[in-house]
Amino acid sequence: MSRGNLIIVSGPSGAGKSALVAGVLGTLAHIRFSVSYTTRAPRGTERDGIEYFFVDRDAFQSLIQEDALLEWAEVHDNYYGTSRKFVDDLLVQGEDVILDIDVQGAETIRRKRPDTVSVFVLPPSYDVLRERLERRSLDEGLVIRQRLKRACSEIRRYHEYDYLIVNRDLGDSIRELEAVISGNRCRRESRMESAKSVLATFGGTDAENP
Ligand code: 5GP
């Protein structure tokens, strides 16, 4: 079985990443969400082990010391990190794994796993982003202002990513992300195991040196 692929999705809070990722998880098979650790408190209906593993700062420090995190970063005064075991267990089962992580985490993963595909999600404009954050109203005014400020610096790094989705219409954006993931699965490098077994039926031709 071929190993799954890592797909990073980044973009400012309010760009619509969560809805986009949820959409793709609902339509494509063999794709799973990487549940990160975070020290921030659960919001709204969030449940431990589904959106995040919610831990305190001491527990997070222990994870860093045990080298249990593939990457970690401080975002909005909280720590967030990707579980190495969670991700690798899924990849060896042949599942694609989608990571919703910030620009710092994306930089680390790209360095450690250069075959990762990365997608940046932009809101249609600053005003739309502000409206979305205000409408979501899960956060207080000060938090919204901090998130908008951070968005301004984050979006400047969109050019570090392989793909760009401008999230004007959620349905269209979901289809675009599906296309990126499907296209990546069709890459020759991702299909070597299948190619070898097909070529074997042609008399055992060496797939790498036909
Ligand atoms: P939120 O608190 O809105 O769920 O997430 C805040 C930011 O943290 C988002 O930009 C999200 O992509 C990022 N984030 C979530 N999990 C991780 C993680 O494991 N690592 C890193 N580096 N960023 C994360």
Side-chain angles (χ1 to χ4, degrees), residues 11 13 17 36-37 40 43 52 71-73 75-76 80-82 100-102 105 136 147 154:
S13 283
K17 277 172 303 171
S36 295
Y37 290 99
R40 84 148 163 76
R43 261 197 320 241
Y52 285 105
E71 62 73 37
W72 63 272
V75 186
H76 308 306
Y80 294 82
T82 302
D100 172 346
I101 60 175
D102 86 316
R136 194 160 83 174
R147 284 175 185 249
E154 267 177 343

mmCIF file with all atom_site columns, all heavy atoms in Angstrom, residues 11 13 17 36-37 40 43 52 71-73 75-76 80-82 100-102 105 136 147 154, ligand 1:
data_model
loop_
_atom_site.group_PDB
_atom_site.id
_atom_site.type_symbol
_atom_site.label_atom_id
_atom_site.label_alt_id
_atom_site.label_comp_id
_atom_site.label_asym_id
_atom_site.label_entity_id
_atom_site.label_seq_id
_atom_site.pdbx_PDB_ins_code
_atom_site.Cartn_x
_atom_site.Cartn_y
_atom_site.Cartn_z
_atom_site.occupancy
_atom_site.B_iso_or_equiv
_atom_site.pdbx_formal_charge
_atom_site.auth_seq_id
_atom_site.auth_comp_id
_atom_site.auth_asym_id
_atom_site.auth_atom_id
_atom_site.pdbx_PDB_model_num
ATOM   1   N N   . GLY A 1 11  ? -3.972  29.862 6.633  1.00 0.00 ? 11  GLY A N   1
ATOM   2   C CA  . GLY A 1 11  ? -4.677  31.088 6.248  1.00 0.00 ? 11  GLY A CA  1
ATOM   3   C C   . GLY A 1 11  ? -5.145  31.755 7.518  1.00 0.00 ? 11  GLY A C   1
ATOM   4   O O   . GLY A 1 11  ? -5.198  31.111 8.576  1.00 0.00 ? 11  GLY A O   1
ATOM   5   N N   . SER A 1 13  ? -7.307  33.341 10.613 1.00 0.00 ? 13  SER A N   1
ATOM   6   C CA  . SER A 1 13  ? -8.564  33.004 11.302 1.00 0.00 ? 13  SER A CA  1
ATOM   7   C C   . SER A 1 13  ? -9.688  33.755 10.612 1.00 0.00 ? 13  SER A C   1
ATOM   8   O O   . SER A 1 13  ? -9.576  34.961 10.405 1.00 0.00 ? 13  SER A O   1
ATOM   9   C CB  . SER A 1 13  ? -8.535  33.511 12.738 1.00 0.00 ? 13  SER A CB  1
ATOM   10  O OG  . SER A 1 13  ? -7.774  32.713 13.526 1.00 0.00 ? 13  SER A OG  1
ATOM   11  N N   . LYS A 1 17  ? -11.072 28.299 6.769  1.00 0.00 ? 17  LYS A N   1
ATOM   12  C CA  . LYS A 1 17  ? -10.323 27.025 6.678  1.00 0.00 ? 17  LYS A CA  1
ATOM   13  C C   . LYS A 1 17  ? -11.101 25.844 7.257  1.00 0.00 ? 17  LYS A C   1
ATOM   14  O O   . LYS A 1 17  ? -11.145 24.780 6.645  1.00 0.00 ? 17  LYS A O   1
ATOM   15  C CB  . LYS A 1 17  ? -9.010  27.128 7.467  1.00 0.00 ? 17  LYS A CB  1
ATOM   16  C CG  . LYS A 1 17  ? -7.888  27.771 6.749  1.00 0.00 ? 17  LYS A CG  1
ATOM   17  C CD  . LYS A 1 17  ? -6.735  27.973 7.710  1.00 0.00 ? 17  LYS A CD  1
ATOM   18  C CE  . LYS A 1 17  ? -7.182  28.788 8.897  1.00 0.00 ? 17  LYS A CE  1
ATOM   19  N NZ  . LYS A 1 17  ? -6.248  28.883 10.000 1.00 0.00 ? 17  LYS A NZ  1
ATOM   20  N N   . SER A 1 36  ? -4.625  18.463 16.429 1.00 0.00 ? 36  SER A N   1
ATOM   21  C CA  . SER A 1 36  ? -3.461  19.077 17.090 1.00 0.00 ? 36  SER A CA  1
ATOM   22  C C   . SER A 1 36  ? -3.666  19.166 18.594 1.00 0.00 ? 36  SER A C   1
ATOM   23  O O   . SER A 1 36  ? -4.794  19.115 19.080 1.00 0.00 ? 36  SER A O   1
ATOM   24  C CB  . SER A 1 36  ? -3.275  20.511 16.589 1.00 0.00 ? 36  SER A CB  1
ATOM   25  O OG  . SER A 1 36  ? -2.956  20.543 15.233 1.00 0.00 ? 36  SER A OG  1
ATOM   26  N N   . TYR A 1 37  ? -2.561  19.363 19.292 1.00 0.00 ? 37  TYR A N   1
ATOM   27  C CA  . TYR A 1 37  ? -2.626  19.730 20.704 1.00 0.00 ? 37  TYR A CA  1
ATOM   28  C C   . TYR A 1 37  ? -2.704  21.252 20.787 1.00 0.00 ? 37  TYR A C   1
ATOM   29  O O   . TYR A 1 37  ? -2.070  21.948 19.992 1.00 0.00 ? 37  TYR A O   1
ATOM   30  C CB  . TYR A 1 37  ? -1.359  19.294 21.442 1.00 0.00 ? 37  TYR A CB  1
ATOM   31  C CG  . TYR A 1 37  ? -1.234  17.802 21.617 1.00 0.00 ? 37  TYR A CG  1
ATOM   32  C CD1 . TYR A 1 37  ? -0.444  17.050 20.765 1.00 0.00 ? 37  TYR A CD1 1
ATOM   33  C CD2 . TYR A 1 37  ? -1.915  17.157 22.650 1.00 0.00 ? 37  TYR A CD2 1
ATOM   34  C CE1 . TYR A 1 37  ? -0.327  15.678 20.927 1.00 0.00 ? 37  TYR A CE1 1
ATOM   35  C CE2 . TYR A 1 37  ? -1.797  15.787 22.819 1.00 0.00 ? 37  TYR A CE2 1
ATOM   36  C CZ  . TYR A 1 37  ? -1.007  15.045 21.962 1.00 0.00 ? 37  TYR A CZ  1
ATOM   37  O OH  . TYR A 1 37  ? -0.900  13.697 22.124 1.00 0.00 ? 37  TYR A OH  1
ATOM   38  N N   . ARG A 1 40  ? -5.037  26.421 24.215 1.00 0.00 ? 40  ARG A N   1
ATOM   39  C CA  . ARG A 1 40  ? -6.164  27.355 24.339 1.00 0.00 ? 40  ARG A CA  1
ATOM   40  C C   . ARG A 1 40  ? -7.407  26.598 24.825 1.00 0.00 ? 40  ARG A C   1
ATOM   41  O O   . ARG A 1 40  ? -7.508  25.384 24.682 1.00 0.00 ? 40  ARG A O   1
ATOM   42  C CB  . ARG A 1 40  ? -6.413  28.110 23.028 1.00 0.00 ? 40  ARG A CB  1
ATOM   43  C CG  . ARG A 1 40  ? -7.247  27.431 21.997 1.00 0.00 ? 40  ARG A CG  1
ATOM   44  C CD  . ARG A 1 40  ? -8.057  28.457 21.180 1.00 0.00 ? 40  ARG A CD  1
ATOM   45  N NE  . ARG A 1 40  ? -8.565  27.919 19.926 1.00 0.00 ? 40  ARG A NE  1
ATOM   46  C CZ  . ARG A 1 40  ? -9.606  27.110 19.832 1.00 0.00 ? 40  ARG A CZ  1
ATOM   47  N NH1 . ARG A 1 40  ? -10.223 26.656 20.911 1.00 0.00 ? 40  ARG A NH1 1
ATOM   48  N NH2 . ARG A 1 40  ? -10.022 26.701 18.636 1.00 0.00 ? 40  ARG A NH2 1
ATOM   49  N N   . ARG A 1 43  ? -13.671 26.296 22.376 1.00 0.00 ? 43  ARG A N   1
ATOM   50  C CA  . ARG A 1 43  ? -14.608 27.365 21.976 1.00 0.00 ? 43  ARG A CA  1
ATOM   51  C C   . ARG A 1 43  ? -15.923 26.717 21.560 1.00 0.00 ? 43  ARG A C   1
ATOM   52  O O   . ARG A 1 43  ? -15.895 25.668 20.902 1.00 0.00 ? 43  ARG A O   1
ATOM   53  C CB  . ARG A 1 43  ? -14.048 28.080 20.739 1.00 0.00 ? 43  ARG A CB  1
ATOM   54  C CG  . ARG A 1 43  ? -13.333 29.354 21.026 1.00 0.00 ? 43  ARG A CG  1
ATOM   55  C CD  . ARG A 1 43  ? -13.161 30.229 19.786 1.00 0.00 ? 43  ARG A CD  1
ATOM   56  N NE  . ARG A 1 43  ? -12.833 29.576 18.555 1.00 0.00 ? 43  ARG A NE  1
ATOM   57  C CZ  . ARG A 1 43  ? -11.724 29.795 17.837 1.00 0.00 ? 43  ARG A CZ  1
ATOM   58  N NH1 . ARG A 1 43  ? -10.834 30.637 18.251 1.00 0.00 ? 43  ARG A NH1 1
ATOM   59  N NH2 . ARG A 1 43  ? -11.530 29.170 16.703 1.00 0.00 ? 43  ARG A NH2 1
ATOM   60  N N   . TYR A 1 52  ? -9.430  19.453 18.672 1.00 0.00 ? 52  TYR A N   1
ATOM   61  C CA  . TYR A 1 52  ? -8.085  19.536 19.272 1.00 0.00 ? 52  TYR A CA  1
ATOM   62  C C   . TYR A 1 52  ? -8.005  18.559 20.433 1.00 0.00 ? 52  TYR A C   1
ATOM   63  O O   . TYR A 1 52  ? -9.033  18.129 20.976 1.00 0.00 ? 52  TYR A O   1
ATOM   64  C CB  . TYR A 1 52  ? -7.842  20.942 19.865 1.00 0.00 ? 52  TYR A CB  1
ATOM   65  C CG  . TYR A 1 52  ? -7.579  22.036 18.868 1.00 0.00 ? 52  TYR A CG  1
ATOM   66  C CD1 . TYR A 1 52  ? -8.564  22.980 18.580 1.00 0.00 ? 52  TYR A CD1 1
ATOM   67  C CD2 . TYR A 1 52  ? -6.344  22.150 18.234 1.00 0.00 ? 52  TYR A CD2 1
ATOM   68  C CE1 . TYR A 1 52  ? -8.325  24.018 17.670 1.00 0.00 ? 52  TYR A CE1 1
ATOM   69  C CE2 . TYR A 1 52  ? -6.095  23.188 17.336 1.00 0.00 ? 52  TYR A CE2 1
ATOM   70  C CZ  . TYR A 1 52  ? -7.091  24.108 17.054 1.00 0.00 ? 52  TYR A CZ  1
ATOM   71  O OH  . TYR A 1 52  ? -6.851  25.122 16.162 1.00 0.00 ? 52  TYR A OH  1
ATOM   72  N N   . GLU A 1 71  ? 5.806   19.506 14.747 1.00 0.00 ? 71  GLU A N   1
ATOM   73  C CA  . GLU A 1 71  ? 6.063   20.950 14.761 1.00 0.00 ? 71  GLU A CA  1
ATOM   74  C C   . GLU A 1 71  ? 5.204   21.539 15.853 1.00 0.00 ? 71  GLU A C   1
ATOM   75  O O   . GLU A 1 71  ? 4.215   20.936 16.258 1.00 0.00 ? 71  GLU A O   1
ATOM   76  C CB  . GLU A 1 71  ? 5.736   21.605 13.406 1.00 0.00 ? 71  GLU A CB  1
ATOM   77  C CG  . GLU A 1 71  ? 4.285   21.524 12.950 1.00 0.00 ? 71  GLU A CG  1
ATOM   78  C CD  . GLU A 1 71  ? 3.319   22.416 13.695 1.00 0.00 ? 71  GLU A CD  1
ATOM   79  O OE1 . GLU A 1 71  ? 3.687   23.537 14.043 1.00 0.00 ? 71  GLU A OE1 1
ATOM   80  O OE2 . GLU A 1 71  ? 2.182   21.988 13.944 1.00 0.00 ? 71  GLU A OE2 1
ATOM   81  N N   . TRP A 1 72  ? 5.591   22.722 16.316 1.00 0.00 ? 72  TRP A N   1
ATOM   82  C CA  . TRP A 1 72  ? 4.730   23.443 17.243 1.00 0.00 ? 72  TRP A CA  1
ATOM   83  C C   . TRP A 1 72  ? 5.000   24.932 17.091 1.00 0.00 ? 72  TRP A C   1
ATOM   84  O O   . TRP A 1 72  ? 6.054   25.323 16.568 1.00 0.00 ? 72  TRP A O   1
ATOM   85  C CB  . TRP A 1 72  ? 4.931   22.996 18.701 1.00 0.00 ? 72  TRP A CB  1
ATOM   86  C CG  . TRP A 1 72  ? 6.302   23.258 19.245 1.00 0.00 ? 72  TRP A CG  1
ATOM   87  C CD1 . TRP A 1 72  ? 7.375   22.419 19.161 1.00 0.00 ? 72  TRP A CD1 1
ATOM   88  C CD2 . TRP A 1 72  ? 6.741   24.425 19.946 1.00 0.00 ? 72  TRP A CD2 1
ATOM   89  N NE1 . TRP A 1 72  ? 8.465   22.990 19.757 1.00 0.00 ? 72  TRP A NE1 1
ATOM   90  C CE2 . TRP A 1 72  ? 8.106   24.231 20.257 1.00 0.00 ? 72  TRP A CE2 1
ATOM   91  C CE3 . TRP A 1 72  ? 6.134   25.611 20.349 1.00 0.00 ? 72  TRP A CE3 1
ATOM   92  C CZ2 . TRP A 1 72  ? 8.857   25.175 20.942 1.00 0.00 ? 72  TRP A CZ2 1
ATOM   93  C CZ3 . TRP A 1 72  ? 6.873   26.556 21.032 1.00 0.00 ? 72  TRP A CZ3 1
ATOM   94  C CH2 . TRP A 1 72  ? 8.225   26.330 21.323 1.00 0.00 ? 72  TRP A CH2 1
ATOM   95  N N   . ALA A 1 73  ? 4.058   25.763 17.516 1.00 0.00 ? 73  ALA A N   1
ATOM   96  C CA  . ALA A 1 73  ? 4.219   27.215 17.396 1.00 0.00 ? 73  ALA A CA  1
ATOM   97  C C   . ALA A 1 73  ? 3.340   27.899 18.422 1.00 0.00 ? 73  ALA A C   1
ATOM   98  O O   . ALA A 1 73  ? 2.363   27.313 18.917 1.00 0.00 ? 73  ALA A O   1
ATOM   99  C CB  . ALA A 1 73  ? 3.822   27.675 15.991 1.00 0.00 ? 73  ALA A CB  1
ATOM   100 N N   . VAL A 1 75  ? 0.712   30.757 18.831 1.00 0.00 ? 75  VAL A N   1
ATOM   101 C CA  . VAL A 1 75  ? -0.220  31.533 18.004 1.00 0.00 ? 75  VAL A CA  1
ATOM   102 C C   . VAL A 1 75  ? -1.231  32.178 18.942 1.00 0.00 ? 75  VAL A C   1
ATOM   103 O O   . VAL A 1 75  ? -1.845  31.481 19.762 1.00 0.00 ? 75  VAL A O   1
ATOM   104 C CB  . VAL A 1 75  ? -0.989  30.612 17.008 1.00 0.00 ? 75  VAL A CB  1
ATOM   105 C CG1 . VAL A 1 75  ? -1.851  31.440 16.063 1.00 0.00 ? 75  VAL A CG1 1
ATOM   106 C CG2 . VAL A 1 75  ? -0.055  29.710 16.207 1.00 0.00 ? 75  VAL A CG2 1
ATOM   107 N N   . HIS A 1 76  ? -1.450  33.490 18.793 1.00 0.00 ? 76  HIS A N   1
ATOM   108 C CA  . HIS A 1 76  ? -2.428  34.202 19.631 1.00 0.00 ? 76  HIS A CA  1
ATOM   109 C C   . HIS A 1 76  ? -2.221  33.884 21.121 1.00 0.00 ? 76  HIS A C   1
ATOM   110 O O   . HIS A 1 76  ? -3.180  33.546 21.836 1.00 0.00 ? 76  HIS A O   1
ATOM   111 C CB  . HIS A 1 76  ? -3.875  33.829 19.260 1.00 0.00 ? 76  HIS A CB  1
ATOM   112 C CG  . HIS A 1 76  ? -4.218  33.966 17.805 1.00 0.00 ? 76  HIS A CG  1
ATOM   113 N ND1 . HIS A 1 76  ? -4.034  35.109 17.089 1.00 0.00 ? 76  HIS A ND1 1
ATOM   114 C CD2 . HIS A 1 76  ? -4.754  33.086 16.927 1.00 0.00 ? 76  HIS A CD2 1
ATOM   115 C CE1 . HIS A 1 76  ? -4.443  34.935 15.845 1.00 0.00 ? 76  HIS A CE1 1
ATOM   116 N NE2 . HIS A 1 76  ? -4.865  33.714 15.717 1.00 0.00 ? 76  HIS A NE2 1
ATOM   117 N N   . TYR A 1 80  ? 0.290   25.600 20.008 1.00 0.00 ? 80  TYR A N   1
ATOM   118 C CA  . TYR A 1 80  ? -0.381  24.638 19.142 1.00 0.00 ? 80  TYR A CA  1
ATOM   119 C C   . TYR A 1 80  ? 0.692   23.701 18.591 1.00 0.00 ? 80  TYR A C   1
ATOM   120 O O   . TYR A 1 80  ? 1.776   24.169 18.229 1.00 0.00 ? 80  TYR A O   1
ATOM   121 C CB  . TYR A 1 80  ? -1.033  25.332 17.936 1.00 0.00 ? 80  TYR A CB  1
ATOM   122 C CG  . TYR A 1 80  ? -2.186  26.255 18.257 1.00 0.00 ? 80  TYR A CG  1
ATOM   123 C CD1 . TYR A 1 80  ? -1.955  27.554 18.688 1.00 0.00 ? 80  TYR A CD1 1
ATOM   124 C CD2 . TYR A 1 80  ? -3.497  25.824 18.114 1.00 0.00 ? 80  TYR A CD2 1
ATOM   125 C CE1 . TYR A 1 80  ? -3.009  28.413 18.973 1.00 0.00 ? 80  TYR A CE1 1
ATOM   126 C CE2 . TYR A 1 80  ? -4.565  26.675 18.385 1.00 0.00 ? 80  TYR A CE2 1
ATOM   127 C CZ  . TYR A 1 80  ? -4.319  27.968 18.818 1.00 0.00 ? 80  TYR A CZ  1
ATOM   128 O OH  . TYR A 1 80  ? -5.353  28.814 19.095 1.00 0.00 ? 80  TYR A OH  1
ATOM   129 N N   . GLY A 1 81  ? 0.394   22.397 18.494 1.00 0.00 ? 81  GLY A N   1
ATOM   130 C CA  . GLY A 1 81  ? 1.397   21.480 17.950 1.00 0.00 ? 81  GLY A CA  1
ATOM   131 C C   . GLY A 1 81  ? 0.781   20.252 17.309 1.00 0.00 ? 81  GLY A C   1
ATOM   132 O O   . GLY A 1 81  ? -0.300  19.805 17.696 1.00 0.00 ? 81  GLY A O   1
ATOM   133 N N   . THR A 1 82  ? 1.496   19.732 16.319 1.00 0.00 ? 82  THR A N   1
ATOM   134 C CA  . THR A 1 82  ? 1.041   18.556 15.562 1.00 0.00 ? 82  THR A CA  1
ATOM   135 C C   . THR A 1 82  ? 1.632   17.289 16.161 1.00 0.00 ? 82  THR A C   1
ATOM   136 O O   . THR A 1 82  ? 2.853   17.200 16.329 1.00 0.00 ? 82  THR A O   1
ATOM   137 C CB  . THR A 1 82  ? 1.519   18.670 14.092 1.00 0.00 ? 82  THR A CB  1
ATOM   138 O OG1 . THR A 1 82  ? 0.994   19.876 13.539 1.00 0.00 ? 82  THR A OG1 1
ATOM   139 C CG2 . THR A 1 82  ? 1.069   17.480 13.262 1.00 0.00 ? 82  THR A CG2 1
ATOM   140 N N   . ASP A 1 100 ? -4.404  21.666 9.552  1.00 0.00 ? 100 ASP A N   1
ATOM   141 C CA  . ASP A 1 100 ? -4.802  23.085 9.587  1.00 0.00 ? 100 ASP A CA  1
ATOM   142 C C   . ASP A 1 100 ? -3.829  23.753 10.554 1.00 0.00 ? 100 ASP A C   1
ATOM   143 O O   . ASP A 1 100 ? -4.029  23.700 11.772 1.00 0.00 ? 100 ASP A O   1
ATOM   144 C CB  . ASP A 1 100 ? -6.260  23.169 10.064 1.00 0.00 ? 100 ASP A CB  1
ATOM   145 C CG  . ASP A 1 100 ? -6.728  24.604 10.315 1.00 0.00 ? 100 ASP A CG  1
ATOM   146 O OD1 . ASP A 1 100 ? -5.888  25.522 10.387 1.00 0.00 ? 100 ASP A OD1 1
ATOM   147 O OD2 . ASP A 1 100 ? -7.941  24.798 10.476 1.00 0.00 ? 100 ASP A OD2 1
ATOM   148 N N   . ILE A 1 101 ? -2.752  24.328 10.019 1.00 0.00 ? 101 ILE A N   1
ATOM   149 C CA  . ILE A 1 101 ? -1.705  24.888 10.892 1.00 0.00 ? 101 ILE A CA  1
ATOM   150 C C   . ILE A 1 101 ? -1.285  26.266 10.388 1.00 0.00 ? 101 ILE A C   1
ATOM   151 O O   . ILE A 1 101 ? -1.549  26.624 9.244  1.00 0.00 ? 101 ILE A O   1
ATOM   152 C CB  . ILE A 1 101 ? -0.469  23.955 10.998 1.00 0.00 ? 101 ILE A CB  1
ATOM   153 C CG1 . ILE A 1 101 ? 0.165   23.708 9.633  1.00 0.00 ? 101 ILE A CG1 1
ATOM   154 C CG2 . ILE A 1 101 ? -0.858  22.658 11.677 1.00 0.00 ? 101 ILE A CG2 1
ATOM   155 C CD1 . ILE A 1 101 ? 1.459   22.888 9.723  1.00 0.00 ? 101 ILE A CD1 1
ATOM   156 N N   . ASP A 1 102 ? -0.591  27.005 11.237 1.00 0.00 ? 102 ASP A N   1
ATOM   157 C CA  . ASP A 1 102 ? -0.234  28.380 10.886 1.00 0.00 ? 102 ASP A CA  1
ATOM   158 C C   . ASP A 1 102 ? 1.029   28.408 10.008 1.00 0.00 ? 102 ASP A C   1
ATOM   159 O O   . ASP A 1 102 ? 1.632   27.359 9.734  1.00 0.00 ? 102 ASP A O   1
ATOM   160 C CB  . ASP A 1 102 ? -0.062  29.229 12.152 1.00 0.00 ? 102 ASP A CB  1
ATOM   161 C CG  . ASP A 1 102 ? 1.324   29.123 12.717 1.00 0.00 ? 102 ASP A CG  1
ATOM   162 O OD1 . ASP A 1 102 ? 1.861   27.994 12.788 1.00 0.00 ? 102 ASP A OD1 1
ATOM   163 O OD2 . ASP A 1 102 ? 1.905   30.163 13.073 1.00 0.00 ? 102 ASP A OD2 1
ATOM   164 N N   . GLY A 1 105 ? 4.271   26.798 11.517 1.00 0.00 ? 105 GLY A N   1
ATOM   165 C CA  . GLY A 1 105 ? 4.217   25.328 11.507 1.00 0.00 ? 105 GLY A CA  1
ATOM   166 C C   . GLY A 1 105 ? 4.417   24.796 10.098 1.00 0.00 ? 105 GLY A C   1
ATOM   167 O O   . GLY A 1 105 ? 5.100   23.786 9.885  1.00 0.00 ? 105 GLY A O   1
ATOM   168 N N   . ARG A 1 136 ? -18.911 35.686 13.701 1.00 0.00 ? 136 ARG A N   1
ATOM   169 C CA  . ARG A 1 136 ? -18.630 34.458 14.446 1.00 0.00 ? 136 ARG A CA  1
ATOM   170 C C   . ARG A 1 136 ? -18.784 34.727 15.945 1.00 0.00 ? 136 ARG A C   1
ATOM   171 O O   . ARG A 1 136 ? -19.207 33.867 16.683 1.00 0.00 ? 136 ARG A O   1
ATOM   172 C CB  . ARG A 1 136 ? -17.195 34.009 14.117 1.00 0.00 ? 136 ARG A CB  1
ATOM   173 C CG  . ARG A 1 136 ? -16.871 32.638 14.532 1.00 0.00 ? 136 ARG A CG  1
ATOM   174 C CD  . ARG A 1 136 ? -15.676 32.103 13.778 1.00 0.00 ? 136 ARG A CD  1
ATOM   175 N NE  . ARG A 1 136 ? -14.414 32.531 14.369 1.00 0.00 ? 136 ARG A NE  1
ATOM   176 C CZ  . ARG A 1 136 ? -13.229 32.107 13.974 1.00 0.00 ? 136 ARG A CZ  1
ATOM   177 N NH1 . ARG A 1 136 ? -13.134 31.264 12.977 1.00 0.00 ? 136 ARG A NH1 1
ATOM   178 N NH2 . ARG A 1 136 ? -12.129 32.517 14.555 1.00 0.00 ? 136 ARG A NH2 1
ATOM   179 N N   . ARG A 1 147 ? -6.568  39.190 16.071 1.00 0.00 ? 147 ARG A N   1
ATOM   180 C CA  . ARG A 1 147 ? -6.612  38.249 14.947 1.00 0.00 ? 147 ARG A CA  1
ATOM   181 C C   . ARG A 1 147 ? -6.498  38.983 13.605 1.00 0.00 ? 147 ARG A C   1
ATOM   182 O O   . ARG A 1 147 ? -5.845  38.499 12.685 1.00 0.00 ? 147 ARG A O   1
ATOM   183 C CB  . ARG A 1 147 ? -7.884  37.395 15.005 1.00 0.00 ? 147 ARG A CB  1
ATOM   184 C CG  . ARG A 1 147 ? -7.748  36.322 16.065 1.00 0.00 ? 147 ARG A CG  1
ATOM   185 C CD  . ARG A 1 147 ? -8.984  35.506 16.292 1.00 0.00 ? 147 ARG A CD  1
ATOM   186 N NE  . ARG A 1 147 ? -8.713  34.621 17.418 1.00 0.00 ? 147 ARG A NE  1
ATOM   187 C CZ  . ARG A 1 147 ? -8.574  33.304 17.332 1.00 0.00 ? 147 ARG A CZ  1
ATOM   188 N NH1 . ARG A 1 147 ? -8.718  32.702 16.175 1.00 0.00 ? 147 ARG A NH1 1
ATOM   189 N NH2 . ARG A 1 147 ? -8.286  32.584 18.389 1.00 0.00 ? 147 ARG A NH2 1
ATOM   190 N N   . GLU A 1 154 ? 0.221   37.459 8.371  1.00 0.00 ? 154 GLU A N   1
ATOM   191 C CA  . GLU A 1 154 ? 0.174   36.084 7.840  1.00 0.00 ? 154 GLU A CA  1
ATOM   192 C C   . GLU A 1 154 ? -0.023  36.052 6.325  1.00 0.00 ? 154 GLU A C   1
ATOM   193 O O   . GLU A 1 154 ? 0.642   35.282 5.630  1.00 0.00 ? 154 GLU A O   1
ATOM   194 C CB  . GLU A 1 154 ? -0.998  35.331 8.476  1.00 0.00 ? 154 GLU A CB  1
ATOM   195 C CG  . GLU A 1 154 ? -0.637  34.548 9.698  1.00 0.00 ? 154 GLU A CG  1
ATOM   196 C CD  . GLU A 1 154 ? -1.871  33.896 10.304 1.00 0.00 ? 154 GLU A CD  1
ATOM   197 O OE1 . GLU A 1 154 ? -3.015  34.293 9.981  1.00 0.00 ? 154 GLU A OE1 1
ATOM   198 O OE2 . GLU A 1 154 ? -1.684  32.989 11.086 1.00 0.00 ? 154 GLU A OE2 1
HETATM 199 P P1  . 5GP B 2 .   ? -7.801  28.528 16.338 1.00 0.00 ? 1   5GP B P1  1
HETATM 200 O O1  . 5GP B 2 .   ? -7.475  28.927 17.743 1.00 0.00 ? 1   5GP B O1  1
HETATM 201 O O2  . 5GP B 2 .   ? -8.601  29.570 15.601 1.00 0.00 ? 1   5GP B O2  1
HETATM 202 O O3  . 5GP B 2 .   ? -8.414  27.145 16.254 1.00 0.00 ? 1   5GP B O3  1
HETATM 203 O O4  . 5GP B 2 .   ? -6.412  28.410 15.561 1.00 0.00 ? 1   5GP B O4  1
HETATM 204 C C1  . 5GP B 2 .   ? -5.529  29.483 15.545 1.00 0.00 ? 1   5GP B C1  1
HETATM 205 C C2  . 5GP B 2 .   ? -4.413  29.221 14.561 1.00 0.00 ? 1   5GP B C2  1
HETATM 206 O O5  . 5GP B 2 .   ? -3.613  28.120 14.999 1.00 0.00 ? 1   5GP B O5  1
HETATM 207 C C3  . 5GP B 2 .   ? -4.896  28.837 13.155 1.00 0.00 ? 1   5GP B C3  1
HETATM 208 O O6  . 5GP B 2 .   ? -4.145  29.613 12.216 1.00 0.00 ? 1   5GP B O6  1
HETATM 209 C C4  . 5GP B 2 .   ? -4.538  27.378 13.004 1.00 0.00 ? 1   5GP B C4  1
HETATM 210 O O7  . 5GP B 2 .   ? -4.215  27.059 11.671 1.00 0.00 ? 1   5GP B O7  1
HETATM 211 C C5  . 5GP B 2 .   ? -3.316  27.292 13.901 1.00 0.00 ? 1   5GP B C5  1
HETATM 212 N N1  . 5GP B 2 .   ? -3.059  25.915 14.362 1.00 0.00 ? 1   5GP B N1  1
HETATM 213 C C6  . 5GP B 2 .   ? -3.945  24.973 14.745 1.00 0.00 ? 1   5GP B C6  1
HETATM 214 N N2  . 5GP B 2 .   ? -3.316  23.836 15.083 1.00 0.00 ? 1   5GP B N2  1
HETATM 215 C C7  . 5GP B 2 .   ? -1.996  24.056 14.884 1.00 0.00 ? 1   5GP B C7  1
HETATM 216 C C8  . 5GP B 2 .   ? -0.824  23.249 15.041 1.00 0.00 ? 1   5GP B C8  1
HETATM 217 O O8  . 5GP B 2 .   ? -0.850  22.078 15.424 1.00 0.00 ? 1   5GP B O8  1
HETATM 218 N N3  . 5GP B 2 .   ? 0.365   23.834 14.755 1.00 0.00 ? 1   5GP B N3  1
HETATM 219 C C9  . 5GP B 2 .   ? 0.464   25.120 14.318 1.00 0.00 ? 1   5GP B C9  1
HETATM 220 N N4  . 5GP B 2 .   ? 1.685   25.576 14.037 1.00 0.00 ? 1   5GP B N4  1
HETATM 221 N N5  . 5GP B 2 .   ? -0.601  25.904 14.148 1.00 0.00 ? 1   5GP B N5  1
HETATM 222 C C10 . 5GP B 2 .   ? -1.822  25.386 14.442 1.00 0.00 ? 1   5GP B C10 1
#
